[in-house]
Amino acid sequence: MKPIKQKTAKWFIALIVIVAVVGTLFTFVPMNLGGYYFTSVVGSLNVSSELGAGVYAEYDIDGKFNLDQINRSISTIKGVLEDEGYPGANIFSVNDEKIRIEIGYPSRSETLKDSYSLLKSVGVGVFELRSSSSEDTTYITGKNHIKGVKLNTYNSAIYVVLEFNKEGEAQYEKLLEASDTIYVCMGGEVMTSFSSSEITASSSMPLSFTDYNSARDFAEKVKLGSMEVGFNPDTVTIDTMSSIMSVGALTADPASDQFGFSLALIMGAIAVALVIVCGLIYMIIKHGVFGAFEALALLFDSIIAIIVLSLFEWVELSFSSLIAMGVGYALLIASSLIFASRFEEEYRQGKTVAASLETGFKRSVAGISAPAIALTIIFLVVALVAGGELKVFGLITCIFSVLSLFSSLIMLPGFIKIFEAFNDGGSKPYRLAKREEEKQND
Amino acid sequence: MTKKKSFLGLSLIIALVVIICAVVLSLTVGINLGTDIGGGSQIEILLEDKTNIKKDISSVKDAVKESGYEIESIFTEDKGTESYIVVRIANKEVKAEIRDKIKDKLGISLDNISGVLTINGTVTKNTVMWTAVAIICLLLAIFVGGWIRYKLIGGFALLFATLVSLLLAVSMLIITRVRIDFTALIIISLSVALVLFACVYVLERVRENAKYKHNENLEPLEIVKMSVRSTLKPLIIFAALVLVMALVFVCVPISEIALTGAVLVISILAALFSYYFIAMEFYASLYELRAARDKQRLSRNPDVFSKQDKSKLKQAKKDEKLKAKKDKAFNDKFKKKDKDSNPVV
C-alpha cells in the first residue's frame, strides 16, 4: 500500500463524493427529469408474488392425464416462462384438473400487458397443421408429431424450424400430397396459411418470419401447443392476487392503496438494514475509521449490486433473494474485518501504523480471496445451471462474493490510503489497543 | 506441553445420533414438507362482503386451527368481479369437515366454499435426481479444489465439513418438524456455503502459518489451533450478523417468515457446530497424523527426504559444486602467478 500525496488524496475525495452522490440518487431516488419520470434503479426491480402482489392464471385441463404427463407439461411451461423473463413463476397442478401459474405483479405497465399476453398464450390450445380449415383435415398435432422447435437465422432471415418425429415425418409427407396449402392452427383456430407447392417432405419444416420477436412468439406458442396436456382455451382465468406473505387487509384490487403491500418485503428490508447497521457499529467501535470507510464501501457495493441486478430483466426478487442479500452484506463486512483484524495483529507485534497497514493488507489478501473465489465459482454455477428462485439466489450471492473481493481488496484499502495521506501515521483513529511497551511506558 | 482434549469423537457421535434420529423420524412419521415440494391442499372461499377482509381472514385462520391443521399461506385473489380468500395447507389429506368449520365461523353458505383441492408439488422425481447429481458434483469439485490448494488432507477436510454440515442441517430440520420448503433448501445451501467460507479461510491461515520460520518448532496441532483462534473473530461476526437477520424474521407475525427465521437459526447453528467441533478437529487430526507419519518415515530412513528437502539438497549440492569450481579457478590463477613470479630453476 504505497502512500499517496495529499493533493492526489483531495482529488480522489472529490471523485468519491461525486460518484457516491450521483450513484445514490440514480439508484435509490425516484426523479422527474423534464417530464420523464425515472423510477430509480431499485424501483425497477421486479418482485415475486411473495414480496408483492401477483398475477395468476388457471387453465382447465382438457381430458384425462396422469401426474407424469402433467408434470412434463409443467416443465415445458416453466421453460417458456423462464425464457420470457419469469424464472420465479410458481406453477403447479390443482386436483389434476387445472394448472395454475403465479407470477409477480410487474413493476412497469408495459410489462403487465406482456405478462397477460404471455399467460394467455399458455392456454392457446393444441398446435395443428391441416390441409384445410376443417378439423377433419388435421394431419399433424403438436403433442403427437413434433419433437422439437428451434429458432434459426439464415441469410438474415429468421426461421422457426419444426422438427418432426418419425410419425410426424410420415404425416408431413401425406399433408404435402393432400393439399397445396398448409393451415397453421392453434386451439382449433386458423392462425395463418401458406403455400406448400415448393416444399419437399423432410424431417423438419422451416417457417420464415420478418422479425425475431414474432418468430420467438410463434416458437413459444408451438412449444406450448405441443405439450402432452391440452387446455380448454375458453375457460382460461387470468387475474390479480394479493401478496402471499402479508397480514391484515389483503387485497387483489390493483386500484387499492394496500395492493402490493407486503410485510415480508418490509421486514426483509429491515433485517438487511439491521445486518448492515450492527456490522458497521461493531466495526466503528472496534476498528474506528475502518468502520466509517466500510460504510462508504457498503454504499458503493449496494449501488453496484443493484445496478448489476437491474441489467438482468428476468430477475424477480423473492424472500430468498432478501436472505441472500442479508448474507451478502454479512460476507462484505466479514471480509473487511479480515483486513482490519490482520492490521491490528501486525500493529500489536510492534510495527508502525503504515507498516502494519502494508503487511496486514498483503497477508490478508489470501484469506479474503480464497473463500470469496470459492463462493463465487459455486454460486456462478448455481446461477447458470439452476432455474427459478434458485437462479436469482445464486446470482445475488455470486454478485456479493465478487463485491467482497472488490470491497476488501480495492475500495477499503483505497479509502484507508486516502485517509493516511492526512493522518500522518496516528494510531488513535483506528482505536488500536495499547501495545505492551506503551503500557509499560505509561 | 499438555495436549488439549479433542472433541472430535464426541462431536461425531452427536452428529451421527442426530442423523440417525432424522432418518428414523422420516421413515416413521415422515418429513414436514411445504406445498411447493410435497404438495398440499387449497380451499377457496368466496367473499360476499369485501369490506371486512381482515376479520374474515382471521376467522378462517381460527377455523383451520380448530380443525387441527396449520395454514401455510393465505391470500386473496380476484376472478372477474368476485373475490376469494385462498387458503393453502401443507397436508394432502385435509378432511372435508373443515368446510363446515369455516362456514360456521364466517356465517356464510357452504356453496361459497370450494371443495378441498389437492395441490401437487413442483418437485418431481427428475428434479430430485438432478439435485442429487448436482450435490455429488459439488462435493467432488470441493474435494478436488481443496486437494489442489491444501493437499489431500485439506481436500478431505473440506469434503467432510461440507457433507456433515449438509446432513446435520437437514437432519435438524427434520427432527424439529420445521416445514421444509424451497426457501429452507436455499437456506441450507447458504449454511453449507458459510462452512465452506470458514474452512477455506482457516486452511489459508494454516498454510501461511506453516511457512513461517518462527512456527517451525510448533506441533502441527498447535499450528491448526493457532490458526483457528486467529481467524475466529470475522467468522463469529459473520455468523452473528446472519443470526441477527434470523431473529428479526422469527419475530414477524407471519408464520411463513417466522419459520424461515427458525430454519435460518437452525442451519447457522448446524454450520457452526460442523465447522468448529467437527471440521477443524478432523483437519487437525489428519494434519497431526500426516506429520507423525512423515516423522516416522524420516526416523526409519533418514535418506528419504520430502520434496522440499530434496530441492533444497539439490540447490545445496549445486552451490557446493559452483563454490568448488570458483575455488579451483582461483587456486589455479594463484598457482600461475606464483609460478611466474618464482620460476623454477
Side-chain angles (χ1 to χ4, degrees), chain A residues 32 51 72 157 172 187 201 222 230 266 278 305 311 388 432-433:
Chain A
N32 206 336
L51 297 182
R72 279 195 290 270
Y172 185 36
V222 173
I266 292 168
C278 291
L311 294 175
L432 292 164

Side-chain angles (χ1 to χ4, degrees), chain A residues 56 58 67 71 91-96 100 102 239-248 250-252 263-264 267-268 271 274-275 278-279 282 287 319-320 323 326-327 330-331 334 337-338 341-342 344-345 363 366-367 370-371 375 378-379 390 393, chain B residues 42 44 53-54 57 61 73-80 88 116-122 124 138 142 149-150 182-183 186-187 189-190 193 196-197 200-201 204-205 208 212 230 233-234 237-238 241-242 244-245 248-249 252-254 256-257 260 264:
Chain A
Y56 78 94
E58 275 182 358
L67 192 59
N71 283 335
I91 312 171
F92 51 91
S93 63
V94 181
N95 253 17
D96 295 347
R100 185 180 167 105
E102 290 168 1
D239 219 315
T240 50
M241 54 184 272
S242 69
S243 164
I244 286 174
M245 283 188 183
S246 200
V247 285
L250 299 168
T251 176
L263 194 60
M267 293 314 294
L274 214 58
V275 165
C278 291
Y282 173 80
H287 299 286
F319 194 58
S320 54
I323 295 172
V327 173
L331 178 64
L337 265 176
I338 292 172
S341 34
R342 207 60 205 264
E344 202 179 9
E345 250 179 71
R363 287 181 178 172
L375 291 182
I378 288 170
F379 286 112
L390 198 53
F393 162 77
Chain B
Q42 177 169 296
E44 295 171 8
I53 295 179
K54 200 171 178 176
I57 286 172
K61 279 182 181 174
S73 59
I74 187 165
F75 57 94
T76 59
E77 70 182 25
D78 281 348
K79 260 183 201 166
R88 282 195 190 139
V116 177
L117 308 166
T118 307
I119 305 171
N120 290 311
T122 51
T124 58
L138 178 71
I142 288 169
R149 181 84 179 154
Y150 309 114
F182 210 61
T183 311
I186 287 175
I187 290 169
S189 66
L190 259 174
L196 201 61
F197 175 86
V200 171
Y201 179 33
E204 278 295 323
R205 200 56 190 267
E208 189 192 320
Y212 290 145
S230 55
K233 197 162 72 173
I237 300 300
F238 190 2
L241 291 175
V242 177
V244 160
M245 185 170 64
V248 169
F249 290 148
V252 172
I254 301 172
E256 243 188 284
I257 299 176
T260 306
L264 201 48

Side-chain angles (χ1 to χ4, degrees), chain B residues 249-312:
Chain B
F249 290 148
V250 165
C251 300
V252 172
I254 301 172
S255 64
E256 243 188 284
I257 299 176
L259 278 166
T260 306
V263 169
L264 201 48
V265 170
I266 291 167
S267 303
I268 294 297
L269 292 176
L272 288 171
F273 179 80
S274 310
Y275 160 71
Y276 194 73
F277 292 107
I278 297 182
M280 288 300 104
E281 296 285 338
F282 182 67
Y283 179 70
S285 309
L286 285 179
Y287 202 65
E288 229 182 353
L289 212 72
R290 192 188 71 166
R293 221 179 55 181
D294 287 344
K295 243 187 201 168
Q296 236 181 5
R297 227 170 354 133
L298 269 170
S299 64
R300 268 199 228 123
N301 189 356
D303 293 334
V304 172
F305 291 105
S306 68
K307 245 190 204 169
Q308 235 181 359
D309 294 336
K310 273 188 186 155
S311 66
K312 274 187 190 163

Side-chain angles (χ1 to χ4, degrees), chain A residues 302-318:
Chain A
S302 307
I303 291 168
I304 295 168
I306 289 167
I307 289 172
V308 171
L309 278 175
S310 68
L311 294 175
F312 298 93
E313 278 181 11
W314 49 264
V315 164
E316 209 178 53
L317 298 181
S318 60

Side-chain angles (χ1 to χ4, degrees), chain A residues 223-257:
Chain A
K223 275 186 207 169
L224 293 166
S226 306
M227 290 188 298
E228 285 175 77
V229 167
F231 300 127
N232 184 345
D234 300 323
T235 58
V236 176
T237 308
I238 302 172
D239 219 315
T240 50
M241 54 184 272
S242 69
S243 164
I244 286 174
M245 283 188 183
S246 200
V247 285
L250 299 168
T251 176
D253 176 11
S256 166
D257 291 334

Side-chain angles (χ1 to χ4, degrees), chain A residues 226-439:
Chain A
S226 306
M227 290 188 298
E228 285 175 77
V229 167
F231 300 127
N232 184 345
D234 300 323
T235 58
V236 176
T237 308
I238 302 172
D239 219 315
T240 50
M241 54 184 272
S242 69
S243 164
I244 286 174
M245 283 188 183
S246 200
V247 285
L250 299 168
T251 176
D253 176 11
S256 166
D257 291 334
Q258 287 293 302
F259 183 71
F261 171 80
S262 165
L263 194 60
L265 181 60
I266 292 168
M267 293 314 294
I270 289 173
V272 171
L274 214 58
V275 165
I276 296 170
V277 165
C278 291
L280 288 176
I281 287 173
Y282 173 80
M283 276 194 84
I284 289 170
I285 291 172
K286 197 75 178 73
H287 299 286
V289 287
F290 266 103
F293 291 127
E294 177 63 12
L296 190 59
L298 284 183
L299 174 66
F300 282 110
D301 290 333
S302 307
I303 291 168
I304 295 168
I306 289 167
I307 289 172
V308 171
L309 278 175
S310 68
L311 294 175
F312 298 93
E313 278 181 11
W314 49 264
V315 164
E316 209 178 53
L317 298 181
S318 60
F319 194 58
S320 54
S321 310
L322 290 178
I323 295 172
M325 283 184 183
V327 173
Y329 279 111
L331 178 64
L332 289 172
I333 292 169
S335 299
S336 303
L337 265 176
I338 292 172
F339 174 30
S341 34
R342 207 60 205 264
F343 157 69
E344 202 179 9
E345 250 179 71
E346 297 298 320
Y347 181 78
R348 257 190 266 125
Q349 286 172 13
K351 295 185 181 129
T352 61
V353 165
S356 305
L357 283 169
E358 180 78 38
T359 29
F361 174 72
K362 276 189 188 151
R363 287 181 178 172
S364 60
V365 168
I368 292 168
S369 325
I373 289 170
L375 291 182
T376 303
I377 292 170
I378 288 170
F379 286 112
L380 183 64
V381 170
V382 169
L384 290 171
V385 164
E389 246 178 85
L390 198 53
K391 194 181 185 86
V392 179
F393 162 77
L395 177 67
I396 292 173
T397 326
C398 181
I399 290 170
F400 276 94
S401 302
V402 172
L403 282 174
S404 73
L405 284 169
F406 177 61
S407 179
S408 316
L409 298 180
I410 296 169
M411 271 204 283
L412 188 61
F415 295 151
I416 296 289
K417 219 194 271 190
I418 292 168
F419 176 73
E420 277 298 299
F422 301 100
N423 181 38
D424 211 19
S427 64
K428 223 177 172 182
Y430 298 99
R431 297 180 68 93
L432 292 164
K434 281 188 178 172
R435 291 185 275 213
E436 284 302 321
E437 56 259 34
E438 285 170 358
K439 282 183 189 166

